[in-house]
Amino acid sequence: MRYNERMSINWYPGHMEKTYRQMRDALKRVDFVIEVCDSRAASSTRNPELAELTAHKDRLLLLNKADLSDPSVTDAWIRASGQQGVLALATNLHDPKDIERVRKAVSTANRERLERAKARGYVTRALRLMITGIPNSGKSTLINRLSGRSSLKTENKPGITRQLVWLRAGKNLELLDTPGVLWPKLETTEEQFALAATGAIPDHLLPLADIADWTLQIVAKRYPAVISAKYGQDVQNAAALATSQGLVMAGGEPDTERAARRLLDDFRSGRLGRISLEHPA
Ligand SMILES: Nc1nc2c(ncn2[C@@H]2O[C@H](COP(=O)(O)OP(=O)(O)OP(=O)(O)O)[C@@H](O)[C@H]2O)c(=O)[nH]1
Ligand SMILES: [Mg+2]
């Protein structure tokens, strides 16, 4: 079955609905929120319901996986976020320097909180920091890095964390890991494919060849030289890629599925170069 433009995906497992309720409750005790999105698709990988839920809190946005996205586009997203009043940082969570930058931003927010508390004569306590974001954006990785331990399970597939978990990091910081949450209905084709291409929703929700075709089309439009440089030929879709790469099935038919998998693996691992699928308006 090929994808029909009017189809909308409904991937809203029960734990996501429960997570919203638990987050709303936990927010009463939270001082600061970090939202983690994917810098390769910094519009589709931000959940508007989370922005609404945390609007009254001090917030920081991480444009994560910045090692895989186009640096100039990521800079443009940082500026766009600043104009909307939300401080944003581009991060590669596997780079200790970036973890240090996040730590500094959190310390600055904490200092302001402590000064406010002191002025009112309150006894100060550890900063309570909630990490939010859509599935597979890097939330648990961030907490593992900030706490210097690997207590949380992380994996390059969506839906790994299923429960809210508080962790202590030293005497000044408490961290709350949350399961990735989406919204009940993904409405637009662009949004669905951007989430699929970046691995925020499971691959089986859409035909793999369609995810690859969409990705190829965006890459060709925004980075015209990349496809021919990588595969030796310009190809418009997964079927053509299969033919050009000699990926054929037993009967001689092009193995579109294998070609789609190869293209997506190359994109997701950065072997196509640093690519941003979405640019600010
Ligand atoms: N290349 C790259 N990979 C990253 C970065 N940050 C996290 N990852 C990888 O992204 C994958 C997902 O990370 P997790 O920390 O499990 O993501 P999560 O947001 O907790 O996901 P859920 O629990 O499913 O919501 C893992 O394979 C991480 O190693 C980054 O900055 N760059
Ligand atoms: Mg997680």
Side-chain angles (χ1 to χ4, degrees):
M1 177 195 64
R2 294 290 282 192
Y3 183 75
N4 170 339
E5 289 258 325
R6 283 185 302 278
M7 272 163 65
S8 66
I9 297 174
N10 188 349
W11 189 55
Y12 196 61
H15 80 266
M16 290 193 189
E17 203 174 325
K18 193 166 139 209
T19 298
Y20 278 114
R21 279 202 311 277
Q22 294 177 332
M23 281 171 76
R24 196 166 286 122
D25 196 43
L27 269 169
K28 294 176 199 145
R29 298 183 295 282
V30 162
D31 304 300
F32 193 73
V33 176
I34 296 185
E35 180 190 344
V36 185
C37 79
D38 190 319
S39 56
R40 292 170 297 176
S43 172
S44 294
T45 66
R46 292 197 65 193
N47 179 345
E49 300 200 357
L50 281 177
E52 211 170 294
L53 191 72
T54 60
H56 58 292
K57 292 282 170 186
D58 282 342
R59 276 187 300 158
L60 172 68
L61 172 66
L62 295 194
L63 296 160
N64 196 34
K65 309 198 180 181
D67 50 314
L68 300 174
S69 61
D70 180 338
S72 63
V73 178
T74 305
D75 281 346
W77 281 115
I78 291 176
R79 286 195 298 277
S81 182
Q83 279 160 9
Q84 286 165 12
V86 179
L87 178 66
L89 292 180
T91 50
N92 165 10
L93 293 179
H94 299 310
D95 181 346
K97 285 201 294 294
D98 284 359
I99 299 299
E100 222 25 67
R101 288 167 56 235
V102 176
R103 220 188 279 281
K104 262 203 189 115
V106 171
S107 296
T108 305
N110 197 24
R111 218 174 12 255
E112 288 163 6
R113 178 187 71 98
L114 293 177
E115 276 161 16
R116 282 198 302 267
K118 210 168 145 195
R120 292 186 200 156
Y122 292 155
V123 178
T124 51
R125 50 160 178 74
L127 179 85
R128 293 181 188 142
L129 172 56
M130 178 192 262
I131 317 288
T132 67
I134 64 157
N136 205 30
S137 58
K139 299 174 293 300
S140 302
T141 305
L142 174 63
I143 294 188
N144 281 342
R145 302 284 154 145
L146 286 176
S147 67
R149 284 171 294 181
S150 303
S151 22
L152 301 171
K153 188 174 169 203
T154 65
E155 201 178 318
N156 195 8
K157 86 184 193 199
I160 294 297
T161 304
R162 293 298 173 99
Q163 281 171 344
L164 274 73
V165 182
W166 278 106
L167 276 182
R168 231 192 143 94
K171 65 177 179 10
N172 294 326
L173 191 58
E174 286 176 35
L175 300 159
L176 178 59
D177 192 19
T178 62
V181 280
L182 290 164
W183 41 108
K185 216 172 189 179
L186 306 174
E187 298 285 355
T188 72
T189 328
E190 295 293 304
E191 200 170 71
Q192 294 172 21
F193 280 122
L195 289 168
T198 53
I201 57 174
D203 280 344
H204 64 77
L205 293 180
L206 289 163
L208 200 68
D210 289 357
I211 307 173
D213 288 358
W214 181 86
T215 307
L216 263 172
Q217 204 187 312
I218 302 282
V219 173
K221 189 168 109 196
R222 300 209 185 271
Y223 306 90
V226 160
I227 298 299
S228 58
K230 175 72 185 164
Y231 301 113
Q233 196 174 326
D234 251 331
V235 287
Q236 313 293 321
N237 52 45
L241 182 64
T243 307
S244 91
Q245 302 299 293
L247 301 172
V248 288
M249 295 187 288
E253 290 282 301
D255 193 340
T256 306
E257 193 79 0
R258 242 176 96 201
R261 172 63 54 208
R262 180 173 294 183
L263 182 276
L264 289 170
D265 284 349
D266 286 342
F267 166 69
R268 289 169 179 170
S269 63
R271 286 193 294 270
L272 286 185
R274 296 176 69 173
I275 285 171
S276 295
L277 300 171
E278 293 176 348
H279 295 210

